[in-house]
Amino acid sequence: MADEGEKKSQEEDLSSDIKDWSKHQVRQWALELKSVDDAVAQILFQQDINGPSLLLLDAGDLIAMGVTFGPAKLIIHARDEVVKLKKEEPASFRNQPGRPCKPYPFYRYHDTYRYMESSVLDITESGASDFVEPCHEYKGFTNTTDETKMSKFTDEVIRFAAACMNSRTNGTIHFGVGDKPQFTHGQVLGVVVEDKEAYLNELKSAIDGYFEFKHKQAAQMCIKPPRFVGVLNKNMTSSDKCVIEVDIVPDSVICGENIYHTFNMDTKKAKKKEKGKEADKTETKPSRQFFIRDGGSSRNLLAPTTSAKPMEEYNRFVDSVAKRSQLRKQAEEKHLSVIRNSNQGSRLSQMITGGSLSLDKSHFERYVIVTNKSHSIQLESLGFLVELDPTAVLDFDPESAECGLQRYFEQKSTVSVHLPSQYKITEGIEDIADKLKLTRNTSWVLCNGGIKDEVPSDIDQWLMDKGASVRDVISFLCRKDVLPNKRFLVIFLLFSTVSEQMDPLVETFSTFWQELRGTEQIFCICDNEKAFTSWKDLIKARCGNDISDRCIYELNFAEVNGTILSLWSENRRSQRFLPGDGRSKVLLEKKVERSLNTLEILCMNQCEGGSEDKIPIEENFYKGGKVSWWNFYFSEQPGSTPFIKRDKFDFIMNTVIPDLCSLRKACVLFNLMHVPGCGGTTLAMHTLWALRDRFRCAILRDSNADFVEIADHVVKLLTHDHGEQLPRVPVLLMIDDFEDMDKVNDLELLIEKECVKKDIQCKSAQVILLNCMRAESSEVTESTDTVFIGNDLSEGEQKQFVQKLVEIEKTHKNADTFYGFMIMKKNFKPEYIQGVVHNTLKSFNINQKHAQLLAVLVLLNVYCKWSSLSVSLCEEFLGLQPKPVCGTVKVEEGFGKFSTLISSSSVESKVVHKAVKMIHSSIARQCLQELTTTHNVSKADITDLLLTTDKLYESTQGKHKLLQDVHHIMVKRIYSVEDSKFSPLIQEIANETPGQEEMILLSASKRFDKDAVISQLVARYYYLKKKNFTEAKVWARSARDLSKDSSYMADTSAQVIKHELKNAIANCKEEPMPHEKLSEFLKVAQSAIDAFRETQNLAKKESSLRLQTKRDNCPFNTAGCLGEIQVGVVVIDLLQKTPVFSSENVRHDILSEVLSGNIKLQDAERCDQRQHKHRTYYIILRHFDDLLYSLKFRMKMNFDFLEKFHVNLGSGSGMKDSREQVVQNELFRCFKQYANLFCKTDSTSLLKNKTMWNMLQVHEARQFLERKKADTYSGILNCLSNDTSAEILEKIIKLYDFIRPSGHTVKERINYIYVNVVLSRIKLESQCILPYQRLIGLLYQVMQEQIPLSENLPAMFIAVVLLWPQENGPECRSLGNYISQMKTSYHATMKEVYNGKRPIVHFFLGKKPGYGRLVHLRELKRCSMLEEGQFASMWENGSLWKDKKVQQLLCRVTGEVKGKFIMADTCLSGLKLEVTPMFRSQLSGTTERSKVSFFIGFSIRGPVALDIN
């Protein structure tokens, strides 16, 4: 038995530490060394060389023992290599065993199971148990050299396999799993395998060599090919190691009653023989072996023994083989008889849909996935995950992006990759959700590194390193204002077995369980029972819950995938197509569609193959809900009457759209204006539906989305799968509920820019914006690109509604509640609406919750057309208790009898959510009236309820949207010529219940306590309405504190002071004005002027910042300039009331001179005959001399600035902005008062001296020019727009001629040229106009002089306009330089104010000679005979240039493309002039030096090219 022990000891793995070796192990090690003879190993054994002594040996010692020099060097080198391996071995292998784990499933090769470094297999080495349950044997395989590892592998496998086959037990031998004493028993170490194929081949050869010939085939069948199981690092990243495993399966049909001997050959001699080296000529006789499993090891029953009966045990075992074979067969049959009877497929369908059994109609609106490390095999069966489009994926695989689930998902869909820290609440909840794009893209949260500098953590460390941040993610997702309460499902996809209590997934489950208060919204999927059992036990231990009924584990992932995919309709799963060139189709992949998340794309095959329920969809629409694509689809099916076609439909289809398509502009605009509730949105969507085969149609999801991103998505949709193919299929983009045309124009401009950026050729319109916008009245001018839909149906439309009603009544039982349809069918009759509302609201009681909610909804809808209340909010407010299953109470039912007045739909906001709305705007208006007249509930009552009810603002979905809507109804004013002071709601509350508006505003300030605009609103109320300037200053200061850098808040502070001043002066009735009051008033005036100057400085900073960001098209805030002018007017009025300046014409002129800075107050006092009486006034006035002396200069500077701003800069299209009329009117009023003081002289009759008289006449001439604003080039240019008469202009010319002898300044000579040009455009035959050639001569003179910087821009502009080359005209080779200087001057002069504006085109190049070559915009209007609105529309979309009369008037010029510009040809040889395209998209796609033709317009930024062909 001692020999057996020795043999077993030799067969065991050698320790990596040499000092632990016995002399037997030293001999074993030496025998395995290549090129070292067995005799050397025997010498070491005979000399009692063990591990410690081996470490002390050197080559000399070995030679002294009789070992020759060569083998001695080899032994020392091999020993040193083992020592080196010991030093390099990771400490974790030696000292830190991990937690228990299960072995890889037996006789499986494609499972996704992997081991983790240092984990410990929880099954000990064992012998046969029930024949089917495998026994195990572990081999560290750590101290083998390259030379010995393959023989070690084959020897151990053959020995183990023979033992299992003889014992008739299944078994697995593991290489790379350690054992005592060096490691923990079963500790996973892993080995590096470079050539897996070599192990397979060597094992096959070894089987042939070791087994008897008759048993070779059986052995090949029982010994399975090696399996290489990956080993993960402790932080879940992949390593280069694996565990090699070989399964032994001695099936009874293969083994029968056979016994299996193996034969041990002298492998060293065999190798030497193969290599042709010197060897014995006679081969050693093979030694026969017979292995069986004995406990945890394999024992050879034929091994030499000291027993008296050495063959007794062997013979006994051989005799028992027949019985063993029978037992094996019985065990196999018993194992196969366990037939799985599972209903988990139907349970999966129930749980993932919340009981609806259809994912098209799933109770769950959102899905959150939690997953761990996946295997490449599993990724083949995860198509369902892409279709599920999860809101968030919490991924614990640090290699997910490289080779895991994230990489797979990104190939098929869009993701936004996030770190858990990005979910930390540092600002508003919905702001964070918006930044994360949480409800638009799948948020892929990498919970264990794998991104940026995030290092993966070991299981032991994860909770400390990353646990807190992942808890933040879970808490965020479970908030009621993020995902819909009880309507999202958390799915744990367990790709890898979770076997440790400290596993991050266990902690994650626990956190979800706590946040969701149970497991009703948690669902687990794993693909084998072992993984399920481990998971279930861990959750039971952690949470005390048995989650068996929340788990699917009997289906593999292929079956899970098929089951879930089957829950979608064919339409949902089918491919979607866009129109391509030549009526072809282009596939729209899900990844592409989801990446364009700002757009709802309408495909060619929209709705085809769908299984939506027709009845509820139609009912929702006819009740007043928004139309869906399904409504159009159903109306086209056999047996249905066609969708009602509005009269304007054919006009849009046959005229408007074709006309727009022919325009040479990248993006064109089509306005569909409509009265709310008259079917405008439905008509727009009907247009898209009808054109979906000819256009790439889409709807903008959210008008508040980033316009730059929208433009990018629109152009990507345009170019998708087009390549270089031309022409492209245009995009038809519907935009709905834009409140402001400025925003529409901004979007149009950005799409233009994006087309230019992508170099898209624009021979025709590439993008048509269908702007569906509400109009409050029917006073809308229709044009080629503007259509109006009112609330008055034609006879033909009424007949269609009657026919449709017949069909509706046949298929719907409750047609009497289809109020949306019936209002239109009744042609919007007020009597019908009044009857419906009166009958429905009979039981209204404001004390009831559902009545309060309806009142709030009504108020919001009347004053904010796109308002809604989220379903989540309504459920909370009404106390409804939703459950995570289908069939629970619907929110509409919570409104009781009022449910017929509301409808639900999805709302695009920072967080996309379901919401309820009023069915019709006219219903809402009538409800508000009914509540006031019948139920004595005022607007103030409802507004107060809305502002003070905290429950409305608790953490529910749509909270941000509600706050936005409430803010809107409090703040938003309707701007018109008569500037409204407050929002319609506040004004109507003030009219209906006077005094209540103050309470409402104060309640609003509490609800929006951090909102500067609300504080500004309260300040405005106090200074405008209450005249309480002390309180107004408090609120204005609050607004400033909340928004320190806002020029608008600074303006409010200044306005308070200005109104305080005006009010104080108005209340001062004493005559003459007391000097104390004068001092007080001037002090306030100084404060107001300082405040307005601060506003101006902030406005300039804002403008500069906008230019830097290039993302904000807000125009320059001119309020500070206008405010300073207004205060100046007040000061003039104030001074004119003082005794010093209140009487006599001379006193008037002295005031004018003092405020001009020409006369000092001391001089005025000396000349004052009543100086003693007025002494106190003069003392006070001298305290404010800086204010007084600079008053005219500052007023004039601001007038000129604003004149230049309004005259030269227009809207984004280059037209004058009509909305600035309110400011223009106020400027006109102020200038009139300014001119009355500074632009006339009242004391001329006192002058007798002729010289003085002449000087005075020149002075008066200049005053007249200033009064008519003819002292600036912008004022003169404005004469063309403000209908200044020819007589006035002739007088201006005469006055300029009059003052010429006294010396024209450069500015005056430039102005003189401008006046001649302007008069020529009004009255060409006027005798006052300087002959054209003389004017050119004067211009040449001016251009030769030293031109001040302030006059450089007007000089260069008029030079370019007049000197543009013409046949038989003046030759000016400096024009190119003038154009360059003009552009430089423009940017230097206007850079602070031109943001969001485009320079106005003052003149166009005409065909006539002389003055006739200059064509003004008014001439184009006159010849086109269009109304103002129609002309502006045609100008903006470019259709104006198709007008034959316009073409006859203008000169078409040729040129060639050079980069972003065009070099225009001229009649001068070799002279080409740089022209900027008005719309750069018209140059896109053209090659350098391409020839083009165009019209030329002249703006102060340089010549522009229009209608480029």
Side-chain angles (χ1 to χ4, degrees), residues 381-626:
S381 302
L382 295 180
F384 75 90
L385 201 57
V386 178
E387 295 293 339
L388 213 55
D389 194 17
T391 299
V393 176
L394 277 60
D395 195 339
F396 289 83
D397 177 7
E399 296 177 308
S400 188
E402 298 171 27
C403 55
L405 184 62
Q406 182 192 334
R407 182 171 181 270
Y408 164 82
F409 196 91
E410 278 188 309
Q411 291 170 351
K412 299 178 181 295
S413 189
T414 54
V415 302
S416 300
V417 180
H418 297 126
L419 282 170
S421 58
Q422 290 174 265
Y423 277 79
K424 191 173 182 66
I425 298 175
T426 55
E427 54 185 312
I429 296 298
E430 293 190 44
D431 292 321
I432 296 171
D434 188 40
K435 285 181 181 177
L436 296 170
K437 294 190 174 180
L438 193 58
T439 52
R440 302 185 190 283
N441 276 354
T442 295
S443 172
W444 207 277
V445 189
L446 294 173
C447 299
N448 190 23
I451 180 175
K452 298 178 184 173
D453 300 323
E454 283 287 304
V455 178
S457 298
D458 295 354
I459 285 179
D460 294 344
Q461 281 297 114
W462 181 88
L463 194 58
M464 295 291 290
D465 295 346
K466 301 180 174 68
S469 61
V470 172
R471 278 196 295 274
D472 287 341
V473 176
I474 297 168
S475 296
F476 188 92
L477 292 173
C478 293
R479 290 179 62 98
K480 290 180 182 179
D481 48 355
V482 176
L483 295 183
N485 184 29
K486 303 294 184 184
R487 289 187 181 87
F488 72 94
L489 183 66
V490 181
I491 303 175
F492 280 77
L493 283 180
L494 305 180
F495 293 124
S496 303
T497 299
V498 179
S499 56
E500 299 190 29
Q501 191 66 58
M502 291 294 288
D503 193 291
L505 260 72
V506 176
E507 180 67 23
T508 301
F509 182 96
S510 173
T511 307
F512 269 117
W513 171 66
Q514 293 169 55
E515 290 284 346
L516 297 174
R517 300 179 182 275
T519 60
E520 288 180 313
Q521 287 172 256
I522 303 176
F523 177 40
C524 310
I525 301 176
C526 42
D527 65 348
N528 65 81
E529 192 166 354
K530 281 188 178 179
F532 158 70
T533 303
S534 175
W535 175 247
K536 180 191 70 172
D537 293 346
L538 289 169
I539 298 303
K540 179 76 174 176
R542 180 75 169 83
C543 304
N545 277 51
D546 184 353
I547 57 166
S548 301
D549 61 343
R550 302 299 302 170
C551 294
I552 295 295
Y553 56 89
E554 292 179 359
L555 307 177
N556 60 39
F557 275 111
E559 292 166 329
V560 169
N561 188 49
T563 302
I564 296 177
L565 288 177
S566 71
L567 300 175
W568 271 292
S569 65
E570 181 187 338
N571 171 261
R572 180 70 181 266
R573 286 181 285 126
S574 64
Q575 293 179 322
R576 288 163 55 79
F577 296 97
L578 294 172
D581 186 46
R583 297 281 178 170
S584 62
K585 294 182 180 179
V586 171
L587 177 64
L588 178 64
E589 299 91 347
K590 277 190 170 57
K591 180 180 175 67
V592 174
E593 184 169 7
R594 288 175 183 172
S595 71
L596 308 179
N597 54 59
T598 61
L599 310 177
E600 179 192 338
I601 299 171
L602 171 62
C603 286
M604 297 175 72
N605 59 332
Q606 191 85 24
C607 301
E608 290 178 13
S611 61
E612 296 295 311
D613 292 337
K614 180 179 179 181
I615 298 298
I617 288 175
E618 287 191 337
E619 284 185 358
N620 183 61
F621 175 49
Y622 293 139
K623 282 180 178 179
K626 189 175 179 179

Side-chain angles (χ1 to χ4, degrees), residues 792-1018:
D792 186 19
L793 300 181
S794 68
E795 288 185 16
E797 289 173 331
Q798 289 183 51
K799 285 180 182 177
Q800 291 184 70
F801 274 94
V802 171
Q803 291 169 1
K804 196 71 176 179
L805 181 59
V806 173
E807 179 191 334
I808 289 171
E809 288 176 336
K810 289 178 181 177
T811 53
H812 298 276
K813 296 178 182 178
N814 52 343
D816 57 328
T817 63
F818 292 176
Y819 299 140
F821 178 85
M822 293 304 294
I823 286 171
M824 296 189 72
K825 193 261 176 189
K826 300 280 187 182
N827 204 8
F828 305 93
K829 283 184 179 177
E831 298 81 10
Y832 174 76
I833 297 167
Q834 289 165 10
V836 166
V837 170
H838 181 75
N839 292 329
T840 308
L841 296 183
K842 274 182 180 178
S843 61
F844 184 89
N845 181 350
I846 193 63
N847 295 317
Q848 295 175 332
K849 290 278 188 183
H850 67 294
Q852 292 174 354
L853 211 53
L854 180 75
V856 164
L857 197 55
V858 164
L859 183 84
L860 286 170
N861 190 261
V862 169
Y863 295 102
C864 181
K865 307 304 179 187
W866 52 90
S867 62
S868 61
L869 294 176
S870 74
V871 167
S872 175
L873 184 154
C874 295
E875 287 175 342
E876 284 287 315
F877 191 82
L878 297 173
L880 303 179
Q881 297 296 326
K883 294 181 179 178
V885 288
C886 283
T888 54
V889 63
K890 291 183 179 179
V891 71
E892 289 88 346
E893 295 170 13
F895 280 85
K897 293 180 180 179
F898 311 142
S899 62
T900 55
L901 303 181
I902 62 169
S903 66
S904 61
S905 63
S906 180
V907 171
E908 297 283 338
S909 183
K910 290 189 174 184
V911 173
V912 180
H913 59 273
K914 292 280 182 68
V916 295
K917 302 180 178 183
M918 294 299 294
I919 58 170
H920 202 277
S921 57
S922 61
I923 291 279
R925 283 193 299 272
Q926 186 59 41
C927 281
L928 195 58
Q929 187 176 336
E930 182 76 13
L931 293 180
T932 304
T933 56
T934 305
H935 301 281
N936 199 30
V937 179
S938 68
K939 297 180 181 71
D941 293 334
I942 303 172
T943 309
D944 182 60
L945 175 71
L946 174 60
L947 289 169
T948 60
T949 306
D950 291 336
K951 197 161 184 67
L952 292 171
Y953 304 94
E954 289 179 354
S955 296
T956 54
Q957 282 193 309
K959 177 182 173 181
H960 176 269
K961 175 74 166 61
L962 175 61
L963 286 167
Q964 201 175 37
D965 292 346
V966 174
H967 191 276
H968 175 90
I969 66 174
M970 300 303 298
V971 171
K972 188 65 177 178
R973 290 181 278 167
I974 298 175
Y975 289 94
S976 60
V977 175
E978 293 300 322
D979 190 13
S980 59
K981 303 298 183 186
F982 298 96
S983 70
L985 173 63
I986 298 300
Q987 288 181 326
E988 288 179 27
I989 289 174
N991 294 336
E992 184 182 281
T993 50
Q996 293 288 303
E997 73 277 6
E998 181 177 3
M999 179 196 71
I1000 295 300
L1001 290 172
L1002 291 175
S1003 294
S1005 70
K1006 292 172 186 173
R1007 178 58 60 194
F1008 298 93
D1009 58 337
K1010 302 295 183 187
D1011 192 291
V1013 176
I1014 294 293
S1015 294
Q1016 179 193 41
L1017 170 64
V1018 180

Side-chain angles (χ1 to χ4, degrees), residues 99 295 535 546 742 929 1325 1372 1403 1462:
R99 290 184 172 81
W535 175 247
D546 184 353
D742 274 347
Q929 187 176 336
E1325 65 277 11
C1372 180
F1403 300 104
I1462 300 172

